[in-house]
Amino acid sequence: MKGLFVALACVALSEGLMRIPLQKTKSIREKMAENGAYLPFSDPALKYKPNKFLASTAIDPMSNYGDSSYYGSITIGTPPQTFQVLFDTGSANLWVDSVHCNTPACNAHTKFNHSRSSTYNSTVKTFYLPYGSGSLHGIFGYDTVNVGGIVVTEQMVGLSTNEPGRNFLVAQFDGILGLSYPSIAAGGATPVMDNMIQQGLLKQNMFAFYLSRNNQQGSEVAFGGMDNTKYQGQIHWTPVTSQTYWQISINGFLVNNKTTNWCIQGCQAIVDTGTSFLTCPQQYIGFLMQTIGAEAGQYGGYYVDCNANDLPTLSFNIDGVNFLLPPSAYIMNQNLGGYQYCMVAISSTYLPSQNGQPLWILGDTFLREYYSVYDRTNNQVGFAKSI
Ligand SMILES: *[C@@H]1O[C@H](CO)[C@@H](O)[C@H](O)[C@H]1NC(C)=O
Ligand SMILES: *[C@@H]1O[C@H](CO)[C@@H](O)[C@H](O)[C@H]1NC(C)=O
Ligand SMILES: *[C@@H]1O[C@H](CO)[C@@H](O)[C@H](O)[C@H]1NC(C)=O
């Protein structure tokens, strides 16, 4: 049966496209800062190569989830238990908090109780996702997962058994639903998207994200097609260069429409809904902040004078098309203790790409401007101007 489902908590478009509304959290960094606590700014790339860097660093990649994250509801088990999950194109596993776990982070969230699910099948297979200081231990099981009315059976689900990290404690979601390629899934798990494809549940083997701006409602992830009410103009497609993350080529980086030489030998980018900021290769962050006129803040991060009116437009050339980021896209206004701050929603990463080219992460800073489509049939990513 292809693509015909009844939606419960979501809106069914014609022809089997399911849309799941997403909520945006108020910035946790902002909330904590109001109370005098400051999250460290860290390199989100740690989540990509956790094992390699674990021994030498305590940087916590999950803290970037704290800036803002977009999450939505799924259910697991029979009868269904509901969870808020981060839909993350930068990882491939599904995991949720579970009754196996009793740390403060787990106790602050909804926990999956496998004993209450008649369709649950257990395994003895454990997993460990070392997110720097916010590591996660768990055990795999299989159960039915309902994603916006799309019912996936025998889905491998990670159940947390130990979650010591501070950053999971402040997270608004109970788990993560990874949407990357199966090659990077821990424990050889078949990702949710791959099961949807194998079980013939989608009209088209694609999903797409609309991330709203300025805390507005309307964010959503669509499975099985694109939602043409969420973008304008045409979709520009570019091939996936490595079927691990949703990685693509960047052909140029421009400041005020003038090409820099940063990507003259080519750059790579990972398109990642689970990273809040745009992330710049470490060797260029100093130049970039100088160009913007930003200065490092006391607690990390970069800030500009809120009255500055000559901030540049940045752009990425992707397959011949320039995708512009005006200052309104990369400056975040924050009101902390009555003071107005203008933070640059760009950080740096030291992780190079597999081919040695400078690596960017197109996180939510970029994805609020551009509707993004992830096509597993043709292994390509599409971008169009968001509404
Ligand atoms: C899980 O569900 C079982 C069966 O309903 C119940 O006995 C048990 O107390 C539940 N565990 C937790 C931690 O809620
Ligand atoms: C559990 O395992 C049985 C036997 O292998 C299988 O028939 C059933 O579909 C499985 N259920 C789930 C939810 O994975
Ligand atoms: C940059 O180029 C775009 C078209 O790609 C154009 O709309 C815009 O006005 C240009 N901006 C500047 C500062 O020249």
Side-chain angles (χ1 to χ4, degrees), residues 77-78 117-122 141-145 152-156:
T78 312
S117 174
S118 62
T119 42
Y120 181 75
N121 277 343
S122 62
Y142 290 90
D143 211 334
T144 301
V145 175
V152 181
T153 53
E154 294 181 48
Q155 174 62 48
M156 204 183 213

Side-chain angles (χ1 to χ4, degrees), residues 145-306:
V145 175
N146 184 325
V147 182
I150 301 173
V151 180
V152 181
T153 53
E154 294 181 48
Q155 174 62 48
M156 204 183 213
V157 183
L159 312 186
S160 68
T161 53
N162 188 14
E163 231 181 272
R166 168 184 52 178
N167 291 301
F168 289 121
L169 180 61
V170 298
Q172 307 276 308
F173 45 83
D174 312 308
I176 295 179
L177 192 155
L179 291 163
S180 284
Y181 282 87
S183 63
I184 61 163
T190 303
V192 169
M193 184 64 186
D194 290 77
N195 273 326
M196 286 182 180
I197 294 170
Q198 284 164 26
Q199 294 173 21
L201 304 179
L202 301 174
K203 179 175 184 247
Q204 294 177 84
N205 293 330
M206 59 169 62
F207 55 90
F209 277 85
Y210 169 72
L211 304 184
S212 66
R213 302 180 186 89
N214 304 323
N215 295 314
Q216 281 166 353
Q217 298 299 306
S219 299
E220 66 172 35
V221 54
F223 285 88
M226 298 172 255
D227 180 354
N228 59 21
T229 67
K230 296 294 190 188
Y231 64 89
Q232 319 158 28
Q234 71 179 110
I235 305 254
H236 298 281
W237 294 100
T238 190
V240 170
T241 53
S242 164
Q243 290 175 23
T244 50
Y245 307 98
W246 287 91
Q247 187 175 320
I248 60 172
S249 285
I250 299 291
N251 309 104
F253 180 74
L254 299 83
V255 176
N256 281 333
N257 288 352
K258 256 189 76 206
T259 304
T260 66
N261 61 8
W262 300 355
C263 294
I264 218 146
Q265 316 274 322
C267 282
Q268 295 287 301
I270 291 171
V271 187
D272 187 0
T273 56
T275 292
S276 298
F277 282 8
L278 169 69
T279 298
C280 166
Q282 197 178 38
Q283 63 267 41
Y284 301 137
I285 191 79
F287 298 118
L288 182 57
M289 291 306 156
Q290 204 174 4
T291 305
I292 293 173
E295 285 177 8
Q298 190 184 349
Y299 299 102
Y302 294 91
Y303 293 83
V304 293
D305 177 350
C306 290

Side-chain angles (χ1 to χ4, degrees), residues 60-76:
D60 190 342
M62 296 305 289
S63 67
N64 243 17
Y65 288 127
D67 286 346
S68 66
S69 48
Y70 294 85
Y71 57 90
S73 296
I74 64 166
T75 71
I76 304 175

